[in-house]
Every structure is written in structure tokens, then in C-alpha cells.
Amino acid sequence: MRASNELCGTQLIEALNEDIERELRIADELIERALSAASLRMEAVRSHSCACAAAAMRHATALAAEVLHLGGVPPPCIPRDLPCSRDRMAHASDLFRRYRQRLKMANDLGLLGLEEVLREIIQDLRVCSRTRNGMFRLIRIS
């Protein structure tokens, strides 16, 4: 039993480290988007991108604290390049699915602190999708 929990714990740490890298990559992409928004009309894009980048950084920080608590080591601060998806809804669904899997693992291992962090991230997960007229709409996933 104990060996099984240790294996699950190791897998969880690896999965959380992947999530940290993913959140850092999302933050980088959003910062790039904010910096490239040049016109006054794009001020809403810039503002929203900055807010989403800050949320992604908060997620990465909270996950890194949990990895440390579990006895692991968070990944280096420079994330690997991940494939960029043009389909924001598919990307959001994938993120949501991944965090639900992590939540189940944390629940199975009885890690209440990690469960709380993951629930907050899931609740905070918002996806911007570009509409035809160039505006952004906020879709809450929970």
C-alpha cells in the first residue's frame, strides 16, 4: 500500500510540475499578446491579457508551493516550449480536464491542501475566445 502511495505521489509531483510549466508558458504568451496590442482599440485586449497572465503566475506559484510540500522540486523558471493551440476552447477543455485529474489524484492521496489549491484554480479558470468582431468574451468553466 505504502509503495503505491509513494508511486502516486511521485506521479503527482511530475504532473504538477508539467502544470507549472504550462501555466508559465500561458503567462508568457499572454504577456506577449499584451505587448503586441498596439492600438487604442486593443487596450481591452492588453488589460485582459495582463490580468490572465497574473492569474497564470498565481497558479504556477501555488502549484510550486504544493510540489515543495510534497517533497518535490519545482521545474526551472524557463518553461519548455509547448505546442500552441489555435483553438482556445479545446485548450481550455484540456486544462480543465488536467486539473480535474490532479484533483482526483490529490483526493485519492488525502492531500487536502492540494485539493483546495486545485479547486481554486479550477474555479478561477477562465478562457478568452476571440469572436468574429474582435471582441473577447469570458467563459467560466467550473
Side-chain angles (χ1 to χ4, degrees):
M1 256 323 183
R2 184 174 170 96
S4 176
N5 278 351
E6 287 178 15
L7 178 62
C8 287
T10 302
Q11 291 173 342
L12 180 59
I13 289 170
E14 290 174 9
L16 292 174
N17 278 337
E18 289 175 14
D19 293 336
I20 291 168
E21 288 181 342
R22 185 169 286 104
E23 291 290 345
L24 292 173
R25 186 79 211 122
I26 289 168
D28 285 346
E29 290 171 4
L30 289 165
I31 290 168
E32 287 177 24
R33 183 182 306 149
L35 292 174
S36 68
S39 70
L40 185 58
R41 185 182 130 202
M42 298 296 279
E43 184 60 35
V45 172
R46 183 181 300 119
S47 176
H48 184 73
S49 294
C50 288
C52 290
M57 293 299 291
R58 282 192 309 275
H59 298 164
T61 302
L63 292 171
E66 291 300 319
V67 166
L68 288 170
H69 178 74
L70 293 170
V73 177
C77 61
I78 301 173
R80 297 184 306 238
D81 284 336
L82 297 173
C84 183
S85 173
R86 294 274 182 221
D87 185 357
R88 293 175 197 252
M89 289 306 294
H91 180 68
S93 295
D94 182 53
L95 275 176
F96 184 68
R97 181 187 53 79
R98 287 175 187 275
Y99 282 124
R100 296 295 288 178
Q101 288 173 345
R102 307 303 183 254
L103 183 61
K104 183 181 178 336
M105 290 174 78
N107 184 284
D108 291 345
L109 293 170
L111 301 170
L112 300 178
L114 178 58
E115 281 186 67
E116 184 177 329
V117 166
L118 292 169
R119 279 193 177 98
E120 288 176 15
I121 290 173
I122 289 169
Q123 202 163 24
D124 193 38
L125 188 60
R126 293 181 180 150
V127 179
C128 294
S129 64
R130 191 159 197 118
T131 61
R132 289 178 197 238
N133 63 4
M135 299 299 292
F136 284 90
R137 65 175 187 239
L138 208 52
I139 301 167
R140 186 170 184 89
I141 299 177
S142 55

